[in-house]
Each structure stands twice: as C-alpha cells, then as structure tokens.
C-alpha cells in the first residue's frame, strides 16, 4: 500500500479503487461487507437458473412438437423455479459488478443489462404460466415467446460472462 491509501477500519477488508471508471468511485476504500459478500454469490447462483431455462425451453419445445401435456408441466415447473433464482442471480450480479473485484468494461455493461433483461423475460414467462391448465392460445404463445427469448438472452449473457471471467480468447485452443 502506498502513502495515499486511506486507512482501513479495524475488522473490515478493503480494496483501493484508482481513477474513475464507470460505476467505481474516483479513489477511496471500498469495504467488503455484506453487499460485497452477496455479490460474490453470483458465480455460485448463476448456474441453476441457466440449467432451469434450458430444461424449460427444451421441455416446452418437446411439448409443442409432440403435444404431450406432461412436457408443458415440466417446462412450467422449471420456469417458475428458475424465475426466483434469476432474480437472485441478477441482484447478486449487480452487487458483484459494483465491487472492486470486477473491472468496469463495456462487456460488463452488456452482460449486466442483458442479464437483467433475461431475468425480466424469465419472470414474464413465469407470470404467464398462471392458470396454465386453462390458458388461452394467445397467453400460451406469449409465454412461449418470453420463455424462448429468455433462453436466448441467457445464452448470450452467459457468453459475455465467460468473456469477463476467462477473457476474450476463452474459446480458442
């Protein structure tokens, strides 16, 4: 630490941010407390809603192609559970992005907003499943559009997240 680093309160962990970059402060300590800890849960939480949306999309596509209603029930269950976890994942992602651990880059902004949009689409799909047994064809198609849109957004958002963690060349041998 240099002479310009402000002192850290006893019992707290600190990182020192330099310069103004996006959502980061100009200079000063960033205390890692409850909010930063919650943000660090993002990598742990994100895999569950990704799996749920993929399973839901595959199940709904299977229900559309085979007209077997059981596949629709599987999709609905996955969408409802996934929506809850998508909200938690988006919140912890925003907390992690505002911490000193993550560099604020253009990819982060795209990842952040696409992830938020995916969570909103996920919630929309879950809300559209209310009364799934007696849905009108219009509501069923709105549900499917929200579901497949959320799945596509999750795929792109996941790719951007991998770029943030592993770098732009992560797919190259």
């Amino acid at each position: 630490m240099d002479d310009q680093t402000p002192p850290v309160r006893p019992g707290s962990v600190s990182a020192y941010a330099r310069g103004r970059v996006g959502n980061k402060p100009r200079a000063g300590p960033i205390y890692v407390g409850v909010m930063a800890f919650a943000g660090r849960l993002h990598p742990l939480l994100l895999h569950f809603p990704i799996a749920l949306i993929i399973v839901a999309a595959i199940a709904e596509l299977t229900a559309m192609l085979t007209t077997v209603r059981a596949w629709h029930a599987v999709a609905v269950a996955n969408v409802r559970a996934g929506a809850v976890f998508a909200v938690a994942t988006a919140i912890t992602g925003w907390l992690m992005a505002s911490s000193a651990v993550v560099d604020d880059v253009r990819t982060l902004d795209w990842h952040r907003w696409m992830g938020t949009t995916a969570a909103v689409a996920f919630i929309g799909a879950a809300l559209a499943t209310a009364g799934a047994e007696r849905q009108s064809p219009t509501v069923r198609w709105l549900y499917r559009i929200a579901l497949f849109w959320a799945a596509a957004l999750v795929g792109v958002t996941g790719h951007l997240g991998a770029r943030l963690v592993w770098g732009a060349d992560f797919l190259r041998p």
Side-chain angles (χ1 to χ4, degrees):
M1 294 176 72
D2 59 28
D3 294 338
Q4 297 178 3
T5 304
V8 177
R9 289 184 288 151
S12 66
V13 180
S14 170
Y16 192 69
R18 299 196 181 280
R20 178 135 181 99
V21 183
N23 62 345
K24 305 295 189 282
R26 185 169 298 281
I30 300 171
Y31 297 100
V32 180
V34 175
M35 300 295 270
F37 173 73
R40 291 179 186 206
L41 292 175
H42 180 69
L44 174 71
L45 290 174
L46 65 91
H47 296 91
F48 197 52
I50 290 172
L52 290 171
I53 194 76
I54 290 170
V55 170
I58 291 170
E60 188 61 34
L61 187 61
T62 304
M64 291 167 61
L65 296 175
T66 64
T67 65
V68 176
R69 301 262 317 145
W71 286 111
H72 178 67
V74 169
V76 166
N78 279 282
V79 165
R80 289 177 179 172
V84 173
F85 282 95
V87 170
T89 301
I91 290 169
T92 58
W94 275 84
L95 292 172
M96 185 174 191
S98 63
S99 73
V101 192
V102 179
D103 288 332
D104 192 9
V105 293
R106 184 178 170 111
T107 303
L108 175 62
D109 288 336
W110 277 100
H111 175 72
R112 177 187 294 185
W113 287 107
M114 290 188 80
T116 301
T117 306
V120 169
F122 219 148
I123 292 165
L127 291 174
T129 64
E133 307 81 38
R134 57 190 182 288
Q135 280 181 337
S136 71
T138 304
V139 173
R140 174 79 50 99
W141 278 105
L142 288 174
Y143 152 73
R144 289 174 175 165
I145 289 168
L147 170 63
F148 294 127
W149 177 243
L153 285 170
V154 163
V156 174
T157 303
H159 173 74
L160 293 173
R163 284 188 62 168
L164 287 169
V165 173
W166 302 105
D169 296 335
F170 77 96
L171 287 176
R172 293 192 184 162

